[in-house]
Amino acid sequence: MTPRILLVEDEPSIAEIVDFALTSEGFQVIWRTLIGEAETELTVTPCDLAILDLGLPDGSGLELLKRLRRSSEMPVLILSARNAELDRVLGLELGADDYVTKPFSPRELAARVKAILKRTVRPQPDADTPDQRPLANGLVVDEIRAVIRFRNQRLDLTRYEYLLLKTLLAQPERVFSRAQLMDQVWPDPAASFERSVDTHIKTLRAKLRDIDPDHDPIRTHRGLGYSIRERDGFS
Ligand code: CA
């Protein structure tokens, strides 16, 4: 994905240099000349990094930085004509990630942007993290949310159905006896009246069938118990 850089700079000649330097490195540059415009832009499209000029027509870049830091961890590089020690210290104290003084080398600026992005990149949790990938049988357990999905659809399971299916899924193709499943799912003797593995397997199958009538991921082993198929099949 192309990193998006928000450039807040009111001098077109400087904006052009920055735009050229970053675009040639493969970044997408969004240029705004006012703090107000920049803030509007950020509410519409999140950016990976912002480059802020300090002297802007509608205020100081430091003010923008201060407001940004209340709600955002977006990396910020200050690009200023003012080489005042105070600005630099204040900028870094307010949470800027780097400070570059004009005039600047476009290549150095691009290198610094890259360095900041490299050290601030965070892993993106999404549906493709290893334990969220569906097995070949189309099932995936999301333990954090205590839900199981079948063919990308969330199964509406009772607590016992969830635990039962989760137990089977932990070891595909392993045959669990009813007693083993009971121990795993109903460890509380007081819940013994609920202890009907067969009943819960039946309701589970009905829910899976609602999503995919052609494949039953659960296999019955007569006299032995149940297992979950590792992949789709009829055997
Ligand atoms: Ca300026």
Side-chain angles (χ1 to χ4, degrees), residues 91-162:
L92 297 174
E93 269 180 4
L94 285 173
D97 296 82
D98 206 348
Y99 193 108
V100 173
T101 310
K102 299 171 189 170
F104 58 94
S105 141
R107 288 175 81 174
E108 191 197 333
L109 180 76
R112 290 204 189 200
V113 165
K114 275 198 248 177
I116 297 173
L117 287 175
K118 207 167 167 182
R119 66 174 188 256
T120 55
V121 78
R122 294 171 189 87
Q124 301 281 316
D126 62 26
D128 271 343
T129 48
D131 50 355
Q132 289 284 293
R133 213 169 287 150
L135 301 169
N137 55 26
L139 284 151
V140 60
V141 184
D142 180 345
E143 292 211 38
I144 293 166
R145 296 178 189 85
V147 300
I148 297 176
R149 293 192 185 79
F150 184 45
R151 309 238 184 274
N152 289 323
Q153 289 184 55
R154 184 192 169 131
L155 290 163
D156 184 19
L157 304 175
T158 65
R159 181 170 155 240
Y160 293 120
E161 287 166 351
Y162 168 77

Side-chain angles (χ1 to χ4, degrees), residues 8-11 14 53-57 79 81 102:
V8 193
E9 168 64 71
D10 61 322
E11 266 174 75
I14 290 178
D53 177 25
L54 288 190
L56 291 158
L79 181 62
K102 299 171 189 170

Side-chain angles (χ1 to χ4, degrees), residues 39-67:
E39 288 186 305
T40 308
E41 179 61 39
L42 284 172
T43 60
V44 184
T45 32
C47 291
D48 299 289
L49 182 144
I51 298 177
L52 306 182
D53 177 25
L54 288 190
L56 291 158
D58 60 341
S60 162
L62 290 177
E63 283 300 315
L64 174 56
L65 173 62
K66 209 192 283 180
R67 282 206 294 279

